[in-house]
Amino acid sequence: MLIPSTVEDAVALQSALAPSVVRTAPPGFAPRTATGLDVAYAAGSELVAAAVVTVGIATGEVLESATAIGEATFPYVPGLFAFRELPTLLTALDRLRTTPDLLVADGHGLAHPRRFGLACHLGVETGLPAIGVAKTPMADYEAPRPARGSTTPLWDGGDEVGAALRTQPNVKPIFVSIGHRIDLATACTLVLALATRFRLPETTRQADHLSRRTLRAQQAH
């Protein structure tokens, strides 16, 4: 993928690509697996470790995983994290034997100032259905009811850009948004199915653990 040389070019590229996002699921969409993606950063250097982990949606069982080591060459700018993470994530994705049914990014999709967060970029770049699942919001919301499965809208500038989703009773919500080729209701249903025991979906948990292990192993060499 093309990495812009300046922040201004990166912002312009996001704005140009945002209309490519498809906000509906393919006909008959019924994914059996979901692939989580995450990146671990080395302190004091540009070294990154990317991990992708495919799990069964019904079981939470890990079916396949892959990793890649790279460098985050683009500067650390809020709203532009995709340009730091995508190249290494795409390398890891290419190492999977089976094409994912669904991508679950550790970050935002439409819930982004230019409606083109990491999940959107991943989806448009790969052509795969994608969901953004973030731990912190980039939009306004009211707290959902305490019960598991409760949601409230995420609002940005009058636009509904995602949902605050309570995955466990009385636990802080997570923030779900469309990445590509999916609708918000389906995205929330799938994230809830992936988060049966913990606040975060199993895809995110497994990819986070693997990226950290991979980074530690690389640094030990």
Side-chain angles (χ1 to χ4, degrees):
M1 63 166 291
L2 174 67
I3 298 296
S5 57
T6 68
V7 168
E8 291 75 17
D9 287 346
V11 168
L13 181 58
Q14 286 183 332
S15 298
L17 290 175
S20 304
V21 173
V22 175
R23 304 184 185 199
T24 56
F29 182 60
R32 291 183 294 178
T33 66
T35 301
L37 307 96
D38 201 6
V39 170
Y41 290 85
S45 80
E46 301 302 321
L47 180 71
V48 295
V52 296
V53 181
T54 300
V55 306
I57 293 173
T59 64
E61 177 188 0
V62 174
L63 304 174
E64 187 181 1
S65 63
T67 62
I69 298 293
E71 288 191 355
T73 57
F74 195 83
Y76 183 93
V77 179
L80 299 177
F81 293 151
F83 297 107
R84 291 174 63 80
E85 299 187 358
L86 263 178
T88 314
L89 283 172
L90 291 173
T91 298
L93 271 177
D94 285 342
R95 292 175 178 171
L96 290 175
R97 298 184 302 276
T98 303
T99 301
D101 292 345
L102 172 71
L103 302 179
V104 181
D106 180 35
H108 292 285
L110 291 181
H112 178 275
R114 286 168 293 282
R115 309 295 182 261
F116 202 73
L118 174 63
C120 296
H121 213 142
L122 272 166
V124 169
E125 191 77 25
T126 62
L128 297 172
I131 297 172
V133 177
K135 304 176 196 70
T136 56
M138 289 183 73
D140 299 321
Y141 73 101
E142 293 183 2
R145 290 182 296 106
R148 169 176 157 83
S150 299
T151 65
T152 54
L154 282 175
W155 296 99
D156 182 35
D159 294 333
E160 185 176 352
V161 295
L165 171 64
R166 192 89 67 180
T167 54
Q168 300 299 326
N170 298 302
V171 169
K172 287 193 300 184
I174 57 175
F175 304 95
V176 179
S177 55
I178 291 168
H180 187 51
R181 299 183 66 206
I182 200 162
D183 59 90
L184 184 58
T186 301
C188 288
T189 298
L190 289 168
V191 170
L192 203 59
L194 290 163
T196 56
R197 295 186 298 156
F198 302 99
R199 178 188 178 223
L200 295 175
E202 199 60 23
T203 40
T204 300
R205 284 170 35 79
Q206 293 290 343
D208 173 68
H209 294 165
L210 181 56
S211 66
R212 292 173 188 272
R213 291 198 305 270
T214 302
L215 181 63
R216 286 195 298 267
Q218 179 70 18
Q219 291 174 312
H221 286 166

